[in-house]
Amino acid sequence: NLLCVVPPKVSHFEFSKELNVGDRTSVQCVAGTGDLPLVFTWLKDNVPIKQSGTVGANDNINGDSRYNSDKNNNNRLSNKDGVDDNNLIMIRQNDEFTSALSIISIKQSHAGEYTCRVQNDAATIQYSALLKVNGIKKKQQKKLRFMFLFSLLW
């Protein structure tokens, strides 16, 4: 018997080019082809983003539920869910072939190269995208200057 395993193929993704400090963003890594099971790993500047930063609709690698349901059956994040409080990065496994990386409030430290690595028994494939972070929005700068000048008058 000959067993042929199909390697994953990852769709390209990119971050918006107009991201400012305080904005939020999300990208999806989709393996359009490839035999299951697929293992997703996200990296920033070639360093894996810790697995505890993962939430999703299915169980994670350790078998822990990533969602809690409230009494109205709404899915919500809890403290044990994988939100990296220091970096405000969340990774969500949407289904067997899709993983999403979200940044809740962008900081300058979030700038860098993000890579989605997808692995199955046939191969490991990855795709990377650059996240550039602009400074404070000009409207916010004007508002801050105005508030500072106003506070000096009082």
Side-chain angles (χ1 to χ4, degrees):
N1 288 339
L2 179 64
L3 179 63
C4 182
V5 182
V6 178
K9 184 174 181 182
V10 177
S11 299
H12 294 192
F13 59 87
E14 65 181 47
F15 292 97
S16 170
K17 300 196 184 332
E18 298 297 323
L19 293 173
N20 297 296
V21 171
D23 288 352
R24 60 187 163 268
T25 190
S26 184
V27 290
Q28 285 197 114
C29 181
V30 180
T33 60
D35 286 342
L36 302 176
L38 298 169
V39 177
F40 288 84
T41 305
W42 285 92
L43 303 96
K44 179 183 182 278
D45 300 325
N46 292 317
V47 177
I49 298 172
K50 65 180 184 176
Q51 183 63 35
S52 64
T54 302
V55 297
N58 299 318
D59 288 343
N60 67 18
I61 293 170
N62 299 323
D64 300 324
S65 175
R66 297 177 197 151
Y67 272 116
N68 287 337
S69 293
D70 62 20
K71 39 187 155 173
N72 297 323
N73 251 355
N74 296 319
N75 288 329
R76 61 180 172 72
L77 292 172
S78 71
N79 289 339
K80 79 169 203 158
D81 290 321
V83 178
D84 183 340
D85 292 328
N86 296 324
N87 296 317
L88 303 173
I89 296 176
M90 181 173 60
I91 298 170
R92 181 182 313 263
Q93 184 78 34
N94 295 339
D95 50 41
E96 292 179 303
F97 54 88
T98 308
S99 179
L101 178 138
S102 300
I103 302 175
I104 299 166
S105 181
I106 295 174
K107 299 177 184 179
Q108 284 291 344
S109 61
H110 288 123
E113 183 180 64
Y114 288 82
T115 301
C116 174
R117 184 178 292 159
V118 184
Q119 178 180 350
N120 70 3
D121 289 339
T124 299
I125 305 297
Q126 60 186 38
Y127 182 80
S128 299
L130 190 61
L131 171 61
K132 294 182 182 178
V133 180
N134 300 320
I136 298 176
K137 295 179 184 176
K138 290 184 180 181
K139 287 182 182 180
Q140 290 174 323
Q141 287 176 334
K142 288 179 184 178
K143 184 178 179 180
L144 289 172
R145 276 192 219 124
F146 174 77
M147 290 172 57
F148 176 73
L149 292 173
F150 187 74
S151 68
L152 291 176
L153 296 174
W154 286 96

